[in-house]
Amino acid sequence: MKIQEENEFDAIVIGSGTCGATIARELSRQKKKVLILERGANAALRETFMGIATIADQVFLGDDKLSTVRALTTGGSTSLYFGVVNYPQDDTFRKVGIDLSKELDAVRKELPIAPLPDSLLGSQAIKLRDSANALGHAWKKNDMLVDVTKCGAGYSYDAKWKAKSYVEDAVADGATLINRAMVLSIIIEDNVAVGVEYRIKKSMFASEVKRAFGTKIVVAAGELATPKLLRDSGVQGIGQRGFYCNPGYAIYGLIPGLNASSGFVGSMGCEYEDGIELGDANIPQSLHRPMMLGGMKLRHLMGFSDCIGIGVKVKDKLGGRLKDDGRFFKDFDNEDIARLNKGKDAAIRILKQAGAEHIVDFGLTAAGRVGGLVSIGEHVDHKLETQFRNLHVCDGSVIPDDMRGTPTVTLVSMGRYLSKHLLTAM
Ligand SMILES: Cc1cc2nc3c(=O)[nH]c(=O)nc-3n(C[C@H](O)[C@H](O)[C@H](O)COP(=O)(O)OP(=O)(O)OC[C@H]3O[C@@H](n4cnc5c(N)ncnc54)[C@H](O)[C@@H]3O)c2cc1C
């Protein structure tokens, strides 16, 4: 048996978000030697202004302030997410040769998934539901990745499942986690991926470039980082399809005497029409002031207990491009814009019906995942392997175009699916 050098691993996982954490955990459980390289720090997770500012990274998607957010930290974007569950449709994955059904069953058994009990719905969520229903919308509860036993009397950030817990399991089973380690490129020899080059931050001003070698390399750096990393490493055709970003609006109003309390965003909503989704956007109190201050909504800033919010998300078409320097540029066609306006009008009608005044929005934002740049069947095969042997991709960037819902449960299932394939080849 070959004795492994200190920087040689069975698998190197790039990024410790939902997929990276799942894969690292599955492989470590089977006693594989796993290295996790994570660009962010191992920050303590807190839903305070400072806690969020430390990990949140705003990524612009166009010239007109359109942007999205990700978290650069151990556990990735589940440190910031809302916990809303959508399930992968059988068809979506079968079409590209992937059967996720067993993995999905296992995920449903293991993770805390349930709709919220009525006792955890704030008065603003109930007002929104009643108003939407009165206007004929089928407003219903979503499943949530929330352990309701941890909620006590109300909203709890800690009750939301987070991928960081899987990283901790992996490390307990022997995985090596290196934080502040940003992978710069994949080392390819004779069309086979053999390692990675990464920059590790030593202090505010000092960094060092290092190499690590692995039998399997898994890129799980998230949809905003993976496409550029693949392209820089020589994977052909990345960036040529354009991308989608599920644009939308967060819209807020004030209802005097509402008596709002902190709630779980997205716990209820409906599919409107024409690829438009509407949902509850009532944020917890800890986020209310920073958000209203950031958007200069001064009348709403001090009015948390009167504030009611609704979100609009639209299925846009593939378009725009990933520029050479890695920046995104998205443009929308007239149909996308018409759908956005239609969704916004419907949302405002619901708020008005609820009795809201002083209705404001924060401008167009990417309300959901960015995708479409990496495609199963074109850039990776059904084992999520690229043209380079032993180089696999597993994260939000490879979800098929027609799955636009919230992805976390799908991503954990995909992480399990890929782990199974990797283990049979190790
Ligand atoms: C505000 C918000 C709300 C959301 N709400 C929901 C929701 O309700 N339900 C839901 O299912 N999903 C939601 N999401 C989306 C969900 O959190 C993400 O889609 C999911 O976590 C993505 O997982 P991932 O594995 O693709 O990547 P990520 O979780 O983004 O992880 C990627 C990791 O890779 C690291 N990384 C990046 N580049 C490098 C590099 N070069 N080298 C090393 N490491 C690198 C990053 O620091 C990060 O930790 C939300 C997201 C946000 C931001």
Side-chain angles (χ1 to χ4, degrees):
M1 191 177 100
K2 188 176 163 231
I3 301 199
Q4 281 177 328
E5 302 273 343
E6 211 181 295
N7 69 342
E8 279 185 21
F9 296 84
D10 293 318
I12 299 177
V13 179
I14 303 168
S16 68
T18 307
C19 283
T22 305
I23 294 162
R25 179 184 189 243
E26 293 296 310
L27 300 187
S28 305
R29 271 184 167 173
Q30 301 305 321
K31 308 281 171 250
K32 299 299 170 195
K33 190 180 175 196
V34 177
L35 172 65
I36 311 166
L37 294 170
E38 168 51 51
R39 174 178 170 175
N42 199 5
L45 300 182
R46 284 170 289 125
E47 198 171 55
T48 58
F49 176 68
M50 275 316 289
I52 288 168
T54 314
I55 61 173
D57 180 45
Q58 186 178 20
V59 177
F60 286 93
L61 302 176
D63 291 341
D64 54 355
K65 298 197 181 127
L66 178 73
S67 68
T68 187
V69 177
R70 63 181 168 179
L72 303 178
T73 186
T74 304
S77 293
T78 54
S79 315
L80 284 181
Y81 82 153
F82 304 135
V84 179
V85 175
N86 287 147
Y87 298 99
Q89 299 300 310
D90 245 18
D91 233 28
T92 304
F93 281 87
R94 279 190 207 279
K95 267 193 294 198
V96 291
I98 293 178
D99 177 6
L100 284 184
S101 53
K102 285 204 182 76
E103 286 73 22
L104 181 60
D105 283 349
V107 172
R108 290 179 90 130
K109 277 195 195 112
E110 183 176 299
L111 295 186
I113 300 178
L116 297 183
D118 285 0
S119 57
L120 286 176
L121 303 176
S123 57
Q124 66 282 44
I126 290 168
K127 192 85 171 172
L128 200 63
R129 177 195 65 194
D130 293 348
S131 171
N133 285 338
L135 288 170
H137 301 293
W139 202 258
K140 56 179 187 345
K141 284 184 184 175
N142 290 316
D143 279 352
M144 302 290 287
L145 275 155
V146 171
D147 182 349
V148 293
T149 63
K150 292 187 180 159
C151 287
Y155 172 79
S156 158
Y157 169 72
D158 294 334
K160 285 189 265 186
W161 176 82
K162 298 180 192 63
K164 189 173 186 179
S165 63
Y166 275 12
V167 181
E168 287 164 353
D169 289 349
V171 170
D173 277 334
T176 303
L177 166 67
I178 306 184
N179 285 98
R180 300 179 195 278
M182 180 165 166
V183 173
L184 305 171
S185 63
I186 317 293
I187 305 168
I188 311 280
E189 285 173 5
D190 298 328
N191 284 323
V192 180
V194 295
V196 301
E197 193 162 80
Y198 64 99
R199 187 174 55 226
I200 181 144
K201 226 173 167 184
K202 294 285 185 189
S203 67
M204 184 93 93
F205 304 106
S207 61
E208 191 183 337
V209 174
K210 294 184 135 193
R211 290 178 152 208
F213 295 90
T215 311
K216 296 281 180 190
I217 313 293
V218 181
V219 185
E223 73 235 19
L224 297 165
T226 287
K228 180 172 188 300
L229 189 54
L230 293 176
R231 196 174 60 186
D232 290 352
S233 304
V235 177
Q236 298 293 304
I238 303 280
Q240 288 172 359
R241 308 175 76 236
F243 65 95
Y244 59 82
C245 66
N246 301 309
Y249 294 96
I251 307 174
Y252 292 86
L254 296 174
I255 303 178
L258 179 61
N259 198 21
S261 53
S262 288
F264 288 91
V265 174
S267 62
M268 288 191 278
C270 75
E271 288 198 10
Y272 176 47
E273 53 190 51
D274 239 1
I276 301 167
E277 278 178 45
L278 304 172
D280 185 303
N282 290 300
I283 51 177
Q285 192 160 14
S286 55
L287 299 181
H288 177 84
R289 279 198 188 174
M291 181 167 168
M292 296 301 161
L293 192 61
M296 293 301 285
K297 311 298 181 201
L298 300 184
R299 189 189 281 268
H300 299 69
L301 178 66
M302 303 308 288
F304 175 74
S305 74
D306 292 346
C307 199
I308 182 164
I310 184 165
V312 179
K313 188 169 96 174
V314 164
K315 221 180 201 181
D316 57 329
K317 297 200 217 60
L318 288 171
R321 62 189 191 279
L322 178 67
K323 296 182 180 177
D324 289 346
D325 61 6
R327 283 182 300 149
F328 293 83
F329 181 82
K330 174 75 192 185
D331 41 19
F332 301 108
D333 66 11
N334 289 341
E335 261 180 59
D336 288 338
I337 289 166
R339 273 204 295 273
L340 280 161
N341 290 334
K342 191 172 176 181
K344 190 172 174 184
D345 290 347
I348 291 173
R349 275 197 299 276
I350 295 172
L351 287 183
K352 284 191 173 159
Q353 162 78 21
E357 302 163 352
H358 308 296
I359 294 173
V360 294
D361 72 71
F362 287 76
L364 188 63
T365 179
R369 209 170 40 79
V370 168
L373 286 159
V374 185
S375 171
I376 302 172
E378 195 175 333
H379 307 106
V380 293
D381 65 14
H382 72 287
K383 289 184 184 168
L384 306 179
E385 192 170 25
T386 65
Q387 71 197 67
F388 300 119
R389 193 148 57 79
N390 295 337
L391 178 60
H392 296 258
V393 183
C394 190
D395 61 19
S397 68
V398 284
I399 292 181
D401 298 346
D402 50 349
M403 152 108 209
R404 298 294 187 96
T406 53
T408 300
V409 164
T410 303
L411 293 172
V412 179
S413 307
M414 283 169 57
R416 282 176 171 262
Y417 167 87
L418 177 58
S419 302
K420 203 169 68 186
H421 283 293
L422 295 178
L423 284 165
T424 55
M426 277 177 167

